[in-house]
Amino acid sequence: MVNPVVPSSGALTPLGLDAVRLASGFWGDRVALNGEVIIAHCQEWMEKEGWIGNFRGDLPRRGREFSDSEIYKLLEGMAWAGHPALPELASAVAGAQKEDGYLNTRWNDDRYSDLEWGHELYCYGHLIQAGVARLRTHGEDEFTEVVRRAADHVCDRFMHSTQTCGHPVVEMALVELYRATGTERYLEMARRFVERRGTPALDDIPFGRAYFQDDMPVRRAEVFRGHVVRAVYLASGAVDVAVETGDDELLAAIEAQWERTVARRTHLTGGMGSHFIDEAFGEDFELPPDRAYSETCAGIGSIMLAHRLLLATGRVRYADLAERTMYNVLATSPASDGRSFFYANPLRVRVPAPPPEGVNLRADGGLRSPWFTVSCCPNNIARTLASLPAYLATTDQGGVQIHHYASGEIRHGGLLLRVETDYPRSGAVTVRVAEGGGPARLSLRIPNWAHGSTLGQVSPGGVDERVVEPGYAVVERDWRPGDEIRLGLPMAPRWTRPDPRMDALRGCAAVERGPVVYCAESPGDEADLDGIEVGPAAPVEHDAGGTVEVEVEAVRGRPPGGAWPYTTGTRPAAEPGEETRLRLVPYHGWGNRGPATMRVWLPVRD
Amino acid sequence: MVNPVVPSSGALTPLGLDAVRLASGFWGDRVALNGEVIIAHCQEWMEKEGWIGNFRGDLPRRGREFSDSEIYKLLEGMAWAGHPALPELASAVAGAQKEDGYLNTRWNDDRYSDLEWGHELYCYGHLIQAGVARLRTHGEDEFTEVVRRAADHVCDRFMHSTQTCGHPVVEMALVELYRATGTERYLEMARRFVERRGTPALDDIPFGRAYFQDDMPVRRAEVFRGHVVRAVYLASGAVDVAVETGDDELLAAIEAQWERTVARRTHLTGGMGSHFIDEAFGEDFELPPDRAYSETCAGIGSIMLAHRLLLATGRVRYADLAERTMYNVLATSPASDGRSFFYANPLRVRVPAPPPEGVNLRADGGLRSPWFTVSCCPNNIARTLASLPAYLATTDQGGVQIHHYASGEIRHGGLLLRVETDYPRSGAVTVRVAEGGGPARLSLRIPNWAHGSTLGQVSPGGVDERVVEPGYAVVERDWRPGDEIRLGLPMAPRWTRPDPRMDALRGCAAVERGPVVYCAESPGDEADLDGIEVGPAAPVEHDAGGTVEVEVEAVRGRPPGGAWPYTTGTRPAAEPGEETRLRLVPYHGWGNRGPATMRVWLPVRD
């Protein structure tokens, strides 16, 4: 199974990189860009910044206390991508391992002296994920031996401790290493790390223990809270543990936490996080667009979690959120040339920010940067795009499920399915049996926004078309080569309104088209986006070459002047604004034309 | 002049603590609480936390790198209040001074090695302000000698440097020490610190140089930006330098920056700051109520700045903003018992926060805390309340100006004015000549919200009343004992609406009454404040014992359920909500009845 997640049980079994291949298209092009540009870009920057040199013993040590993890994330990406630079980089890592398996370039005699912030177990987590990727793409070698020895060291040191790490990730890594090797103590260690958290297992910190989810036991929480990446990584590990140990209560707890988080703490883009100060969730319905942190890594973690929950339960809504997050967070972060990245992904940018030329000290949302002082996002993009085909399709007894549509091939059993689509540019998806056949159930996900979709079965006599509703459209038949299914997803752009409890979005609407959130962007000298109000008419799409753009009716008002911006009594009658049409572009493509202001949520005309 | 700010020129001359005495009333009670409780509370906590012990050489040193400044702020407060604990505390400070005048318990051989974050000059600034207070209330002594030696050391070390401090305050302190002593090099040092900033004078930091206003020269900026306390302290120092050096260009630049900041970056309460992460201003119109940082110290700094601009120019709008900030930030921070404080003052709190029992590690806005790890606010409250009478009235050639109304006495020349009022509970203010007389011009500030105010001159034949408009109402006559002026400020509660460019406030209104901002508070088991929409009818006030409360029409809706909080297409017809009346209380009094949710801005019914 060439796959980052291989549960031993659950509703669905993922199809891996050996079964799913992408052709050119929205995702195929990004996966190709990753292999050709992004992975090398990351390696170059980590060489330049000295983070790789740390493993060679270069002094002084450079980078933050967690910089080792960045090399490991890139190694994982290289493994999935079959990148030729892996062996040399892995060899540098191996050279820094101590006799007893300990491996960290930041800590030495003072190892494990600061579990709250030290990130040692966090680094092991990413090391282990890289090792699993290597095992599954290549098999055992010097590097996987390094990883096993590190994992054994973790078990020796922490099996009977009461402590854990300030940043979860080792939990899901250890479960996966158990799945890849069959060594049960890795699972037991992961289980203990999950159970131990919130007892509490860590000292208090200025942000409070909720920051690293140590405020209460995992199975007792009601919602995700604190640092978003930590929260969704921990929940992913908890799902993995629950699935492998048959702990239905734990699985149900994570499902309930996810439900409330998605219903109350998630941006329209699928992004999560409202607080810049601690990269954390806000309270329920606290979702300010201009302070939407929506860290790229949080989106990736949310996709990882939704994927695990989908595999465990088969419930379509996990795939729905994953798709939303893929198109509007994962696809948004890298620039179109693959050489700069968003760290934060706010839904409103008020002042155009020039792109930095070098390392960005700050995790601002208004600009893509080639590298960051805390540069978790580029490597996370690299490993996620490298393994992306493994997120698209699954199997169960007697069937194949396609959750996300991208041109390419899916192979399962004797069956080779060819998918052809330029989704999300259009909503037409063709699935054809290219080779093989036999009785099988093919399930196609109809996204939750896709009311009135059509599913056609092509036969020599014509197309037998029916309307299918959101959920899974199932075709069960005896397949033969040449058989073809045509899915039609309705792609008309649509207005979307927020829950009235979202204070920051009151009186606004946004445009979505298929899974893609749109935004108004105002680059260069164009008029800014203050004072715009949009009209009620349906948005109109038009093809703009590579992308579909949307136009909406709008009025550009003249903002009031005044020395004090609050007015007592009835508001003065607004001056009639200038009628205009506002052009919207896919949110994932914004900021590629230079410094710009941007807004997803548009004030609606009274 | 017993006064923290004594400019040698300018439109107005402040009346100090020797001229203005407060009787019981809104401010008189708070000034008394400060002398009886708050100052001692601060001293006890700093003794307990070891920050005072640092001066005695206790090891290990405790507190943050700027904790010395807290003792200095308290010393300043003690000086203004004539507190008996001052000499002993001042003596502890004196013991830590080095031969060459250097004085800091955090730094030693590595002095001035981290000007960006070291806060050494910042600490001198507060030391000097304490010294000025001691000079003006007591005269020279051992402590003022310590302060002069420290100031001389600063001049020796920095006069010909290109550097400055990451946190402004030393600028205004040095100007005041020049004013108090006549030593011109203190003014020159202050001038250089102001001119040097933004050249740049400091290294870049992750927040960016705008954080400490080192991104551009002071006189070239167009708006306040970065860390709010730093910004308003720097601007205060720049005004002081401009006034003493006759630098009209610099004064005009600060005035213009203030104008834009007040028109675009100030909360309804007068509070400033939208970003928790760097305690900073947001962009223009970025004023989210739930993430309003509005630090108490920022409000105090804004009052200090507005007071300086008022003295320099005589423009009423500086007094208007100062009053707003006094009633809604300064008065909000301390609990009614004077033993706990808000650090941040958001305008929306969604989840009731229990008050912490000890030191609060966090600067959360939802709770008052007896002490903080960074405990700048309590001591700043202490020194500000101790000197508050000095902010209320001024003189110019031939006249007295009363800017803020509080019961008490104002003495100037041979004239003793007695002010009687329970403002802001009512809008009736009586000013009577208690002693003395002669020709003089009495100016009474009519606040910018007080349209339709009345001013009555009492004579044996009755009251001669006229309507006066916002600005200064002037009565020029030959005064005799017993002469009386009666001011009537209209106190009906009023609806206030935000500028439409404030995204986070769209569709909302707030209630104000006089200078006081109101809020809905939901303590204990009362229904929460989600789903409330208020009606259009005028708010109704009613007396609730010590305070005036306000009621407004409201509908309590049933929030929609749903697994995803964004809805495509037209919104479902809202279920008819329950009609109710919503009680509003003064914002400055919220949170005194236990953990509560709170909101200033209320959604308006469509």
Side-chain angles (χ1 to χ4, degrees), chain A residues 105-126:
Chain A
T105 69
R106 164 66 180 78
W107 305 89
N108 263 305
D109 298 339
D110 51 355
R111 56 166 78 168
Y112 306 123
S113 58
D114 183 6
L115 284 163
E116 287 71 28
W117 294 110
H119 285 79
E120 285 152 292
L121 289 164
Y122 170 79
C123 287
Y124 287 128
H126 283 300

Side-chain angles (χ1 to χ4, degrees), chain A residues 322-592:
Chain A
E323 176 176 65
R324 178 175 292 276
T325 314
M326 285 160 60
Y327 281 99
N328 300 297
V329 181
L330 179 63
T332 305
S333 175
S336 48
D337 69 358
R339 297 185 191 280
S340 62
F341 305 85
F342 282 132
Y343 187 113
N345 296 277
L347 277 67
R348 167 79 161 117
V349 171
R350 292 163 179 274
V351 178
E357 289 176 17
V359 174
N360 186 9
L361 289 171
R362 306 169 257 288
D364 292 341
L367 42 85
R368 290 187 180 87
S369 176
W371 206 248
F372 302 88
T373 306
V374 176
S375 214
C376 43
C377 298
N379 293 302
N380 226 348
I381 290 282
R383 69 171 183 147
T384 305
L385 287 177
S387 55
L388 194 79
Y391 287 83
L392 306 187
T394 60
T395 65
D396 61 4
Q397 289 216 323
V400 172
Q401 300 81 37
I402 305 182
H403 306 283
H404 304 291
Y405 301 109
S407 286
E409 292 178 348
I410 299 170
R411 190 181 290 276
H412 177 59
L415 203 63
L416 176 67
L417 301 173
R418 184 158 292 136
V419 180
E420 284 176 11
T421 182
D422 64 352
Y423 184 79
R425 213 175 136 181
S426 94
V429 182
T430 300
V431 182
R432 191 164 39 234
V433 177
E435 293 172 17
R441 215 168 48 239
L442 178 62
S443 301
L444 302 177
R445 186 176 66 90
I446 312 301
N448 53 358
W449 48 263
H451 296 280
S453 293
T454 58
L455 185 140
Q457 296 194 52
V458 183
S459 66
V463 181
D464 172 22
E465 191 172 276
R466 62 184 162 110
V467 171
V468 288
E469 282 306 302
Y472 287 100
V474 181
V475 183
E476 187 156 14
R477 61 191 262 192
D478 193 357
W479 300 89
R480 277 181 286 189
D483 281 354
E484 189 175 311
I485 300 290
R486 290 186 191 162
L487 188 62
L489 302 171
M491 299 301 282
R494 58 193 193 273
W495 286 114
T496 295
R497 297 272 199 157
D499 184 293
R501 286 167 290 183
M502 294 180 187
D503 289 323
L505 304 182
R506 183 167 289 107
C508 288
V511 168
E512 300 179 277
R513 180 180 175 278
V516 176
V517 172
Y518 274 66
C519 67
E521 183 187 21
S522 180
D525 293 333
E526 293 179 29
D528 75 31
L529 299 169
D530 276 342
I532 278 280
E533 291 184 334
V534 294
V540 176
E541 74 179 49
H542 62 92
D543 200 298
T547 43
V548 176
E549 296 185 346
V550 167
E551 269 193 8
V552 295
E553 287 181 358
V555 171
R556 194 181 298 278
R558 268 165 234 125
W564 180 243
Y566 307 96
T567 312
T568 280
T570 52
R571 278 183 292 184
E575 286 187 70
E578 172 201 352
E579 295 204 11
T580 181
R581 295 187 70 76
L582 186 66
R583 188 177 52 143
L584 308 180
V585 298
Y587 173 74
H588 61 71
W590 95 271
N592 273 303

Side-chain angles (χ1 to χ4, degrees), chain B residues 418-439:
Chain B
R418 182 159 293 135
V419 181
E420 283 176 14
T421 182
D422 63 351
Y423 184 78
R425 213 177 136 178
S426 93
V429 182
T430 300
V431 182
R432 191 165 37 232
V433 177
E435 294 172 16

Side-chain angles (χ1 to χ4, degrees), chain B residues 328-407:
Chain B
N328 300 299
V329 180
L330 178 62
T332 305
S333 173
S336 48
D337 69 357
R339 297 184 190 281
S340 62
F341 305 84
F342 282 131
Y343 187 113
N345 296 278
L347 277 66
R348 167 79 160 119
V349 171
R350 293 162 179 273
V351 178
E357 289 175 17
V359 175
N360 186 8
L361 289 170
R362 306 171 254 290
D364 292 341
L367 41 86
R368 289 187 179 89
S369 176
W371 206 248
F372 302 88
T373 306
V374 177
S375 214
C376 43
C377 298
N379 293 301
N380 226 349
I381 291 282
R383 69 171 183 148
T384 306
L385 287 178
S387 55
L388 195 78
Y391 287 83
L392 306 188
T394 59
T395 66
D396 60 5
Q397 289 214 326
V400 172
Q401 300 80 39
I402 305 181
H403 306 283
H404 304 290
Y405 300 109
S407 285

Side-chain angles (χ1 to χ4, degrees), chain B residues 238-272:
Chain B
V239 171
D240 289 341
V241 166
V243 165
E244 296 306 322
T245 62
D247 188 339
D248 293 343
E249 181 194 276
L250 180 59
L251 179 62
I254 300 294
E255 282 204 277
Q257 293 164 33
W258 186 94
E259 293 281 344
R260 175 160 159 191
T261 302
V262 172
R264 295 171 175 237
R265 298 187 176 193
T266 302
H267 298 284
L268 182 64
T269 54
M272 294 176 179

Side-chain angles (χ1 to χ4, degrees), chain B residues 7-60:
Chain B
S8 62
S9 66
L12 305 175
T13 303
L15 286 171
L17 303 180
D18 47 344
V20 181
R21 279 173 205 284
L22 295 186
S24 178
F26 189 95
W27 289 115
D29 294 349
R30 282 165 171 79
V31 171
L33 183 72
N34 187 52
E36 291 155 17
V37 176
I38 296 176
I39 287 176
H41 172 94
C42 290
Q43 187 176 14
E44 280 161 27
W45 272 96
M46 294 198 291
E47 196 61 76
K48 188 158 71 176
E49 291 293 300
W51 302 356
I52 296 174
N54 292 337
F55 287 96
R56 303 188 199 106
D58 295 352
L59 292 175

Side-chain angles (χ1 to χ4, degrees), chain A residues 204-209 259 262-270 274-278 283-291 317 321 324 348 350-351 361-362 448-449 494-508 512 530-533 559-571 599 601-604, chain B residues 204-209 259 262-270 274-278 283-291 317 321 324 348 350-351 361-362 448-449 494-508 512 530-533 559-571 599 601-604:
Chain A
D204 198 7
I205 54 168
F207 289 141
R209 281 202 178 89
E259 293 279 344
V262 172
R264 295 172 174 235
R265 299 186 173 193
T266 302
H267 298 285
L268 182 65
T269 53
S274 295
H275 292 182
F276 276 58
I277 186 168
D278 48 358
E283 300 295 344
D284 288 354
F285 303 113
E286 184 186 337
L287 293 158
D290 40 11
R291 298 301 282 167
R317 56 180 318 215
L321 187 79
R324 178 175 292 276
R348 167 79 161 117
R350 292 163 179 274
V351 178
L361 289 171
R362 306 169 257 288
N448 53 358
W449 48 263
R494 58 193 193 273
W495 286 114
T496 295
R497 297 272 199 157
D499 184 293
R501 286 167 290 183
M502 294 180 187
D503 289 323
L505 304 182
R506 183 167 289 107
C508 288
E512 300 179 277
D530 276 342
I532 278 280
E533 291 184 334
W564 180 243
Y566 307 96
T567 312
T568 280
T570 52
R571 278 183 292 184
R599 65 188 306 164
W601 290 101
L602 304 164
V604 175
Chain B
D204 198 8
I205 55 168
F207 289 141
R209 282 201 178 89
E259 293 281 344
V262 172
R264 295 171 175 237
R265 298 187 176 193
T266 302
H267 298 284
L268 182 64
T269 54
S274 296
H275 292 181
F276 276 58
I277 186 168
D278 48 358
E283 300 295 344
D284 286 356
F285 303 112
E286 183 186 337
L287 293 158
D290 41 9
R291 299 302 282 167
R317 56 178 321 215
L321 186 79
R324 179 176 290 278
R348 167 79 160 119
R350 293 162 179 273
V351 178
L361 289 170
R362 306 171 254 290
N448 55 357
W449 47 264
R494 59 194 193 272
W495 286 115
T496 295
R497 299 271 199 157
D499 186 291
R501 285 167 289 184
M502 293 181 187
D503 288 322
L505 304 182
R506 183 166 289 109
C508 288
E512 298 180 277
D530 276 343
I532 280 279
E533 290 184 336
W564 180 241
Y566 307 96
T567 313
T568 281
T570 53
R571 279 183 291 183
R599 66 188 305 165
W601 289 102
L602 304 164
V604 176

